[in-house]
Amino acid sequence: MKGNFKRAKILPFLITGSLVLGGTTAAFAADANTDTSSSVNSDANVQNYNLKDVVVTATRTEKKIIDTPANTQVITAKQIKDGGYSSIFEAIQALARANVLAYQEDGGDYGSMLSRIKLRGVDSGTLLLVNGNPANYMNMADLNSVPIDQVQKIEIVKGANSVLYGPQAIGGVINIITKKPVKTGKVTGNISGMIGSRIHGTGLNVQTDDFDLGIKKSFSKDFNNVEFAGSTGKGPSLNIKNKNTEQLYFDANLAKDLTFNYSHTDNKVSFEAGKFINYDPVAQYMGNYDSIFNNYSLVYDSKETGVKAVAGYNTFNATAIYDKSYPKYYSNNKYWGYNANFDIQKNFRMRGDKDSFIIGTNLTRENMQCNYPPYASDAQNGRNSYSLYQSYDYKATDKFNLIFGLREYYMTKSQFQDSDFELLPQFQGLYKVNSTSSYYFNIGKSFEMPDITSGFFYGGLIATNSDLKPQSGWSYEVGHKFDDGRRTLTTDLFYMNIKDKFYWAKTSTGLDIMENHNKWQNVGLEINYNQKLNKEWSANAGLTVQNAKAYSDDTSRWTQDSAKYIFNVGATYNKSKFMADARIFTYLDRENSYYDATHTVGNAYTNQLPNSCDLTVTFGYKPTKTDSFKLIGRNLFNRKDIVNVYDYYAMPANVTFVYERSF
């Protein structure tokens, strides 16, 4: 779409949307007396999603979702298990309708090929937390840092959250909350094994009064012809070989209100690359990649004093070794680094516990090094940031709440970027109609510095940009939430306006270079509906309609920057020993790819990605209290879908059989 989307056009759109939401509320409220007896509500085995769930990520305080003035979603451990998801990445993509830039469907991170979730279409603008500790690397969220069986729930907050969490929270925040030790006087857990046409592996989970431990190892079958030839039989080819992942998670209670968390992920894979000649792939080189992530954190959380402190230290180590038996190979390379974070806040209860005031501070250190001769020899960059943040939650009336927030953010000068100071305000409000319905608005400013490696991206095909600027912008949102115990409906309208948005472009000589868009905007509608049909059946559907687009003075035109329609629909059946879950997930009207129609790299990005559609079905059977079996089928339409702008194809239809024994 050409031309600038004037901000003035947004206000009528939001007002119209509010009227639509009001009509929806009236329709649901008219049926609010529908039977919601305990036969439906009390059975925890059929509960998928409830706005009465308590969350902490959106406001840094405990609130029910229906009382939270933001688009907040919870993915529960039961939803993950019912859906048969093998990774956190897969669960978030399917259940939260997140855009992705993944190099495979599992979201694995290999070498410099880091997958990322794009909330509301913003690439590299999502902040990942593990129990409140930031776990981003090079501005990208590592969503495979915790074994899937160790997840208690995942809280997702869409929209700008820089006031509470600082940079990297432009599109939203994902907080992975893990299972914690429970005082039972027993040792419990499970062992599992899986075998399938594409993946197999094992897992172990142990829980005691004092610690929780999870271990998972998985292996993937070689996947050849990840890229296809273009219309002329030319272009790059790619095979993925020897892919395996090791994950470990450990959580311990050290003292009252004090816990220690540690996670370790090791991804290994080989990429055999070449080019197509008359539609036949010819291998030219193979690189063997090993990426290791370690996350350490101490969390102190005192409900009595209102003090919460998180100290985290995250490391990243990636190596690439090339097989010299191939016709071509690059120099072996390595890059490594760490993020250190300390955050402490105090929550003051005021006016007889009607209001709360949070004041906190954050200190962060980032450092990254690279060795890739002859392009970079022990190049490094590091920077510090310091923040103060405040958030006042004011209860104006019994039904109306306002939240005023502000963050003062300062980042030191580094080798490739100047120092920066930002004031980041946020203003939120919520009107609670009754116990089942509420309206809210959310306005906030967000901002993000360039990745610290942007000054020394290595390789002969990548150029550096010494003039790269931070990206910043405003996010506006109005929404509605409804929950009568049997049905939940969340709807919101949003508008984002970002200046100097990061993106990858081409130089006149064909090198990749990161630059700033002059303008980036997204306007959209998000709807999520869940219903418990009866004691056995529940269903849900979600829809995102958006128009993410970018403008550059170099081309003097707007270009589409994300899929315009994202849709998912699913149903779950639970009865006695049997369980079934089926879900369809689609991307429609997608952005253009990295390649042109001939599948050779082009500056115009004129080849639009085709629509994508995935059907996943899971069947479960539990013959005893300790044994369970599960059969999972993925991509059952066997579609040759493209998973990212680099034209990497999805794996063909595949099935996995899982056995689990509890103790």
Side-chain angles (χ1 to χ4, degrees):
M1 182 181 294
K2 294 182 178 180
N4 190 8
F5 198 110
K6 300 295 185 183
R7 184 176 300 180
K9 296 182 179 180
I10 292 300
L11 295 178
F13 179 74
L14 295 181
I15 294 171
T16 302
S18 298
L19 296 176
V20 173
L21 298 180
T24 304
T25 302
F28 272 86
D31 194 29
N33 293 324
T34 303
D35 178 30
T36 57
S37 63
S38 60
S39 63
V40 174
N41 297 320
S42 63
D43 189 348
N45 289 327
V46 299
Q47 182 173 330
N48 285 322
Y49 178 69
N50 195 324
L51 293 180
K52 296 180 176 63
D53 288 341
V54 173
V55 295
V56 297
T57 308
T59 61
R60 281 186 177 253
T61 60
E62 292 187 350
K63 280 183 179 287
K64 294 178 181 178
I65 296 179
I66 200 167
D67 297 329
T68 303
N71 181 319
T72 305
Q73 180 180 354
V74 172
I75 297 175
T76 65
K78 183 183 183 306
Q79 285 177 295
I80 292 171
K81 186 172 286 290
D82 286 350
Y85 301 110
S86 61
S87 68
I88 295 171
F89 181 94
E90 186 182 16
I92 291 175
Q93 179 191 9
L95 296 176
R97 297 182 314 283
N99 300 116
V100 300
L101 204 164
Y103 295 92
Q104 277 298 281
E105 296 95 314
D106 63 355
D109 299 312
Y110 303 98
S112 61
M113 301 172 66
L114 300 181
S115 299
R116 56 258 199 196
I117 288 285
K118 299 164 60 178
L119 294 180
R120 291 186 173 169
V122 184
D123 189 12
S124 301
T126 299
L127 176 64
L128 175 71
L129 307 173
V130 178
N131 296 319
N133 179 50
N136 278 32
Y137 297 90
M138 297 181 292
N139 289 6
M140 299 177 192
D142 169 36
L143 288 170
N144 284 337
S145 58
V146 176
I148 192 75
D149 288 336
Q150 285 295 311
V151 176
Q152 179 64 37
K153 65 177 180 177
I154 304 170
E155 295 183 4
I156 302 168
V157 184
K158 295 181 180 179
N161 280 276
S162 289
V163 170
L164 293 179
Y165 295 103
Q168 302 174 336
I170 292 180
V173 176
I174 297 172
N175 192 6
I176 300 170
I177 299 173
T178 61
K179 297 177 180 177
K180 298 294 187 292
V182 179
K183 295 289 184 181
T184 62
K186 300 178 182 179
V187 177
T188 59
N190 64 69
I191 57 173
S192 63
M194 61 178 177
I195 185 169
S197 58
R198 302 298 313 181
I199 188 171
H200 58 280
T202 59
L204 169 67
N205 296 279
V206 179
Q207 189 174 68
T208 73
D209 290 355
D210 299 311
F211 72 86
D212 194 75
L213 173 68
I215 302 172
K216 184 179 179 182
K217 175 77 174 180
S218 61
F219 304 85
S220 298
K221 182 179 178 180
D222 290 355
F223 184 21
N224 297 319
N225 299 321
V226 177
E227 293 186 85
F228 285 8
S231 59
T232 60
K234 299 179 181 179
S237 65
L238 183 68
N239 300 323
I240 298 178
K241 299 178 176 294
N242 307 316
K243 178 179 173 181
N244 66 85
T245 298
E246 297 175 356
Q247 293 176 297
L248 181 147
Y249 182 80
F250 179 76
D251 188 304
N253 287 333
L254 300 183
K256 181 184 177 182
D257 303 326
L258 181 64
T259 60
F260 169 75
N261 308 304
Y262 168 68
S263 65
H264 167 84
T265 302
D266 188 350
N267 299 307
K268 293 184 174 68
V269 69
S270 297
F271 290 101
E272 185 180 56
K275 61 182 180 180
F276 283 98
I277 300 177
N278 295 325
Y279 295 97
D280 291 325
V282 178
Q284 295 179 306
Y285 67 88
M286 184 165 75
N288 303 294
Y289 294 84
D290 188 2
S291 304
I292 301 174
F293 303 82
N294 289 290
N295 301 329
Y296 309 82
S297 67
L298 278 171
V299 180
Y300 175 79
D301 189 1
S302 172
K303 300 294 189 296
E304 296 176 358
T305 64
V307 174
K308 182 174 182 178
V310 178
Y313 181 70
N314 309 322
T315 67
F316 176 48
N317 193 317
T319 59
I321 299 176
Y322 289 88
D323 190 327
K324 294 181 172 52
S325 67
Y326 279 70
K328 296 182 179 180
Y329 52 86
Y330 297 104
S331 300
N332 296 340
N333 59 81
K334 174 181 180 180
Y335 61 97
W336 64 101
Y338 66 88
N339 299 332
N341 176 78
F342 178 72
D343 188 286
I344 184 169
Q345 70 174 54
K346 166 70 174 176
N347 186 3
F348 296 91
R349 305 299 303 178
M350 306 175 71
R351 291 208 307 148
D353 281 349
K354 287 184 178 181
D355 302 347
S356 67
F357 177 62
I358 292 176
I359 184 168
T361 186
N362 179 274
L363 310 175
T364 301
R365 169 67 182 177
E366 301 172 84
N367 192 79
M368 190 66 66
Q369 294 179 249
C370 169
N371 188 39
Y372 190 173
Y375 309 107
S377 179
D378 290 329
Q380 66 174 317
N381 192 23
R383 64 190 178 199
N384 302 324
S385 63
Y386 310 92
S387 296
L388 292 174
Y389 57 89
Q390 308 85 38
S391 178
Y392 185 71
D393 191 330
Y394 172 67
K395 189 170 185 177
T397 69
D398 289 341
K399 292 188 175 183
F400 189 48
N401 267 61
L402 292 171
I403 300 179
F404 307 88
L406 181 67
R407 176 178 287 254
E408 301 87 14
Y409 178 88
Y410 174 73
M411 178 166 283
T412 62
K413 183 177 180 180
S414 64
Q415 185 174 352
F416 305 111
Q417 290 99 28
D418 289 333
S419 61
D420 204 318
F421 177 77
E422 296 281 342
L423 286 175
L424 305 170
Q426 188 167 17
F427 181 42
Q428 300 168 274
L430 182 136
Y431 178 75
K432 193 165 185 179
V433 180
N434 50 45
S435 61
T436 64
S437 177
S438 64
Y439 293 93
Y440 72 90
F441 69 86
N442 187 1
I443 301 171
K445 184 182 180 182
S446 57
F447 131 96
E448 184 172 10
M449 291 292 292
D451 165 32
I452 59 173
T453 66
S454 59
F456 60 79
F457 264 109
Y458 56 75
L461 301 178
I462 298 177
T464 59
N465 183 355
S466 59
D467 296 324
L468 195 62
K469 299 183 286 290
Q471 60 183 13
S472 63
W474 287 86
S475 179
Y476 309 84
E477 176 181 341
V478 294
H480 164 248
K481 302 178 182 184
F482 175 86
D483 182 2
D484 67 359
R486 190 165 61 92
R487 298 159 301 179
T488 63
L489 172 69
T490 60
T491 312
D492 71 79
L493 298 163
F494 69 87
Y495 170 63
M496 304 176 68
N497 187 3
I498 298 177
K499 179 183 177 182
D500 297 322
K501 175 73 176 64
F502 303 142
Y503 78 108
W504 283 101
K506 289 285 182 181
T507 66
S508 59
T509 58
L511 298 180
D512 291 322
I513 187 170
M514 180 168 280
E515 294 186 349
N516 296 107
H517 280 301
N518 298 97
K519 304 170 187 176
W520 188 94
Q521 298 174 348
N522 194 8
V523 59
L525 167 69
E526 297 169 324
I527 303 173
N528 197 61
Y529 178 69
N530 300 266
Q531 181 160 353
K532 301 168 188 175
L533 303 175
N534 53 42
K535 289 185 67 175
E536 292 83 26
W537 284 97
S538 62
N540 78 285
L543 172 67
T544 296
V545 181
Q546 61 182 2
N547 185 24
K549 57 183 183 178
Y551 181 86
S552 175
D553 287 341
D554 294 337
T555 59
S556 298
R557 64 186 179 92
W558 289 92
T559 57
Q560 184 180 340
D561 201 42
S562 192
K564 288 189 176 181
Y565 307 96
I566 308 175
F567 176 73
N568 71 290
V569 61
T572 303
Y573 174 81
N574 277 279
K575 185 173 183 179
S576 184
K577 300 178 180 181
F578 297 92
M579 183 279 297
D581 183 272
R583 302 197 175 271
I584 294 177
F585 178 84
T586 62
Y587 288 123
L588 304 175
D589 196 353
R590 302 173 70 189
E591 67 272 31
N592 289 346
S593 76
Y594 186 73
Y595 299 110
D596 56 23
T598 63
H599 207 238
T600 54
V601 176
N603 293 329
Y605 289 67
T606 56
N607 190 36
Q608 186 177 30
L609 293 174
N611 294 334
S612 173
C613 181
D614 177 71
L615 170 63
T616 299
V617 176
T618 302
F619 295 101
Y621 175 61
K622 192 169 184 177
T624 70
K625 292 183 179 180
T626 58
D627 298 286
S628 64
F629 301 90
K630 193 174 292 181
L631 184 66
I632 306 161
R634 295 183 175 88
N635 191 16
L636 294 182
F637 291 140
N638 199 29
R639 291 171 53 91
K640 294 181 179 179
D641 286 337
I642 294 176
V643 298
N644 62 30
V645 296
Y646 299 100
D647 286 8
Y648 288 10
Y649 278 70
M651 289 186 291
N654 60 95
V655 295
T656 305
F657 177 77
V658 180
Y659 168 71
E660 182 179 301
R661 182 174 180 83
S662 302
F663 57 85

